[in-house]
Structure formats: C-alpha cells, structure tokens
Amino acid sequence: MRLEQLHIENLRNIATLDVALAPGINVFVGPNGAGKSSILEAAYLLSHAQSFRLGATHDLIRRGEKRLAVAATARCGERARRIALIRDDSSWHGRIDQTVTTNLGAVLGETAVVCFEPGSHELIAGSGRERRRFLDWGVFHVEHAYLATAARYRRSLRQRNMALKNGAADGELDAWDVELASAAAPMDLHRQQYFSRFRDRLAELAGQFLPELGEVNLAWDRGWPSDASLLDLLAQRRSLDRIRGHTSRGPHRADWLLRFEQAPQRGQLSRGQEKLCALACVLAQARVHADASGGWPVIALDDLGSELDLEHQARVLDWLRRDADQVLISGVDIPEPLRAEPDAITLFHVEHGSLRGLL
C-alpha cells in the first residue's frame, strides 16, 4: 500500500500543501519547525485519526482556523481510492472517493501507516495504555470487525462503571457483568491471535537490532488471570469495584510485557535500547500487516538521524529498501546511509510549511 497526492490544509504551521509522494523512500529535509514532521503526521492521521505527537487534538488545527483536512489517494495494487479526513473543533468526519461518511472506521481501514518517532520509546517505557493502543490498531487492520467488537466492550464498560458510581443494585450489576464478560470474550480472542503473530515477528527483529540482549520473551496479560472466568471475577470484586467506582479487571487492563535474557527488568534498558525495542515493534507490526494483507503499510520515520546511530540507521534502511513499499523520512538533513545513493530516494526540502522544490 502507498499514498499518492497527499493534500494538507491547516495542519499546525501548514496552510495548504500538496505533495506527490513516490514509491520507495521519500525524504523530507529542512530546519527545525519547518513542517517536516507535520507532513508525516498528515499521513499518520489518515490511518489513526490521532497524532503520533503529544498534545490535544484541537492543537492540530492551524492557529486562527476552525478546521483541518488531510487527503490522499491510497493505492493497493491496481485499486486506488481517494480518502479524506476533516476535523473541526469537535469531531472527525471523512470521505471515501466522493462519498461523505460518519463511519470513521471505514475511512481509517482504507490506509495503513506505522510510525517510529521521538516519543516511540514510551511504547516500552510508558504505561499499558500505549501498548494496548498500539496492539489494537494492528488487530483492527488485520480484522476490521474488531472495531465493532471493541466498541461493544467499551459501551458495556462505561455502563457498568456508571452503575458502580451510582450505587446500582446487585441485580442491575449482574446484568452488566454478563454483558461485559460476553463482550470481552471475542475482543480478547482477536487480541491473542494477533499477539501470537506479532510476538514471532518481534522476536526476529529484536534479534537483529539488539543481539547483545540475548533472547527476547513476550508475554500477554489479557487483563484478568488466564485461569479465571471474567464473569466470576467481576462478581468476586464487586465490593472493591463499588468503592473505587470503576471496573478493575477486563480487556481494558490488558498489557504485553517484553523481557530480554540480559535485561529481565524493563528498567534495565537504556534509552537507546528502548528506542531500538520500539523500532523493532513498529517494524514487526508492519510485517504482520504485510503477512495478513499481502501489502505493506506506509512506514514513517520521524527525525531518523537524531533517533538512531549510524549503524542502526543503515541497518533499518537496508531492511526497508528490501521489503517496504513506501517510506516517509524526516530530518534536518538526508540520513547519512542514503547520501551515497541520491537516485534511490525522492527528496523534498521543507521551509515554513511549504515545499521548496523537488530535487
């Protein structure tokens, strides 16, 4: 899969911009604050409806404006569709070809973009919420029905939490326990099936990027003990959940744990090793997507030169040139391993939210 003719309106410091993206490696260079990352961010928005950068969603909209829009032609083999996302102060809405839709999942399902960026180490060092979000995006792009499955669970969870906070009678909570456990089962099954694929691919890539740490082990924590019935557990923990005002067990508490033979505790990894772990996770997710769909997602690497040393830049770029369909890279300069092959890349110079010609 690749993106063509990326169009951006009112995204951060970009007023309006059209970029003809090429197959293979696209490199965006320019000074800090020029808008390089925002171009990668636009592509990412089409696949996630949220940024890979910190901050509130309304901060994406250019100062003084009320809406932003991103659009691109998403091509998979001979099939091409025009996808657009528009954001106002309150919500996203989308368009597929000429059809306006409020079904955000349908729009997001048309594109697949993964990203390694300066905050990616939080995937390893941060909370379980980041790892759940990462995994759920991968599950959705392998099994589109997962979106409805996860939405059903979230609705049930909100209702049960509201009942707990309002002091609902046990009879009402019995009903919500049954619904929550019923909704949790298919959600957990989809996640576990995806995780088994992801685990195998990540083991391969971790061995390539972090061989000094020895064998890697990934463990799935589904959010409640593997030998327990969630329905029984909800009943057993009801008194505690009433006190806390929320549901303490279920898929919303799921997490996955990564440990190395030479670093069994997460805190034993250096910041550089966390970044390399995160990079391996992003590429493993891309590989699983390719395995399942037959087409690679777009792979974005934001500020690559400052995030990886030269050896690992060369290693990942060799990997991408061999396998990926389309890569978007940003940086203040061309990554060193690519300078000797200018004909192998499409280079853009970005200044003040605009392109200063195509080299």
Side-chain angles (χ1 to χ4, degrees):
M1 193 224 107
R2 60 187 177 89
L3 299 178
E4 303 173 337
Q5 299 298 328
L6 179 65
H7 175 75
I8 308 169
E9 291 180 21
N10 298 326
L11 176 62
R12 299 197 189 272
N13 67 332
I14 297 176
T16 182
L17 185 66
D18 289 285
V19 188
L21 297 172
I25 298 178
N26 298 260
V27 180
F28 299 88
V29 299
N32 290 329
K36 308 179 300 296
S37 295
S38 296
I39 296 173
L40 272 61
E41 189 175 33
Y44 188 87
L45 285 170
L46 287 169
S47 181
H48 294 75
Q50 64 181 41
S51 174
F52 56 74
R53 296 196 270 186
L54 296 176
T57 302
H58 62 74
D59 292 336
L60 294 169
I61 302 176
R62 188 167 180 256
R63 184 174 298 178
E65 301 294 337
K66 296 182 178 180
R67 66 187 287 276
L68 72 83
V70 292
T73 302
R75 179 172 295 279
C76 298
E78 296 300 315
R79 179 174 177 268
R81 304 194 78 167
R82 186 67 175 173
I83 308 302
L85 276 180
I86 299 93
R87 175 78 190 191
D88 56 27
D89 288 335
S90 59
S91 63
W92 290 102
H93 55 280
R95 189 168 64 244
I96 301 175
D97 292 329
Q98 300 303 314
T99 304
V100 176
T101 178
T102 57
N103 183 352
L104 198 58
V107 179
L108 301 182
E110 292 291 335
T111 60
V113 182
V114 300
C115 183
F116 173 73
E117 44 84 22
S120 290
H121 70 278
E122 288 295 321
L123 185 61
I124 308 302
S127 68
R129 180 180 180 182
E130 284 299 308
R131 288 181 289 279
R132 284 191 297 275
R133 182 185 61 81
F134 175 87
L135 191 82
D136 282 344
W137 183 88
V139 180
F140 164 64
H141 276 272
V142 169
E143 177 54 73
H144 286 185
Y146 179 72
L147 192 66
T149 300
R152 177 192 172 194
Y153 178 80
R154 287 193 296 270
R155 286 194 300 269
S156 302
L157 180 64
R158 284 195 299 269
Q159 293 293 337
R160 186 178 191 269
N161 286 344
M162 187 179 301
L164 289 167
K165 291 175 183 177
N166 292 338
D170 283 340
E172 180 179 347
L173 282 168
D174 286 342
W176 284 119
D177 286 359
V178 171
E179 170 59 19
L180 193 72
S182 176
M187 184 177 182
D188 179 59
L189 179 60
H190 283 310
R191 280 176 165 178
Q192 289 197 51
Q193 290 172 338
Y194 180 86
F195 184 76
S196 66
R197 301 180 185 183
F198 173 71
R199 179 180 55 209
D200 293 342
R201 289 303 190 182
L202 181 55
E204 296 172 9
L205 286 160
Q208 294 178 34
F209 292 114
L210 290 159
E212 71 278 8
L213 293 181
E215 185 176 351
V216 63
N217 176 56
L218 271 80
W220 171 248
D221 177 355
R222 65 178 183 170
W224 73 99
S226 59
D227 59 351
S229 158
L230 180 57
L231 183 59
D232 292 343
L233 196 61
L234 291 171
Q236 293 167 15
R237 298 180 64 86
R238 183 176 294 174
S239 295
L240 181 60
D241 287 353
R242 282 188 183 277
I243 293 170
R244 293 178 173 177
H246 63 83
T247 304
S248 56
R249 292 292 184 272
H252 62 291
R253 303 288 292 177
D255 201 354
W256 47 275
L257 309 174
L258 183 151
R259 294 188 177 92
F260 289 90
E261 182 181 1
Q262 300 301 321
Q265 301 299 320
R266 189 170 59 186
Q268 294 174 320
L269 297 174
S270 69
R271 178 56 61 87
Q273 289 170 333
E274 289 174 353
K275 290 180 179 180
L276 288 170
C277 284
L279 174 62
C281 289
V282 169
L283 297 182
Q285 188 174 71
R287 173 69 83 175
V288 173
H289 184 279
D291 292 342
S293 70
W296 284 84
V298 176
I299 299 176
L301 305 170
D302 186 33
D303 205 11
L304 178 67
S306 67
E307 291 301 299
L308 299 181
D309 58 44
L310 288 176
E311 177 186 351
H312 286 100
Q313 286 182 49
R315 195 174 297 178
V316 70
L317 288 169
D318 284 344
W319 192 90
L320 292 171
R321 280 182 290 199
R322 183 177 66 250
D323 292 321
D325 293 330
Q326 187 177 55
V327 182
L328 312 180
I329 299 174
S330 72
V332 295
D333 207 345
I334 302 172
E336 184 68 32
L338 295 176
R339 292 181 188 176
E341 304 178 68
D343 294 338
I345 65 174
T346 302
L347 181 64
F348 302 86
H349 192 92
V350 186
E351 280 189 2
H352 307 299
S354 63
L355 297 179
R356 197 193 66 185
L358 171 63
L359 303 181

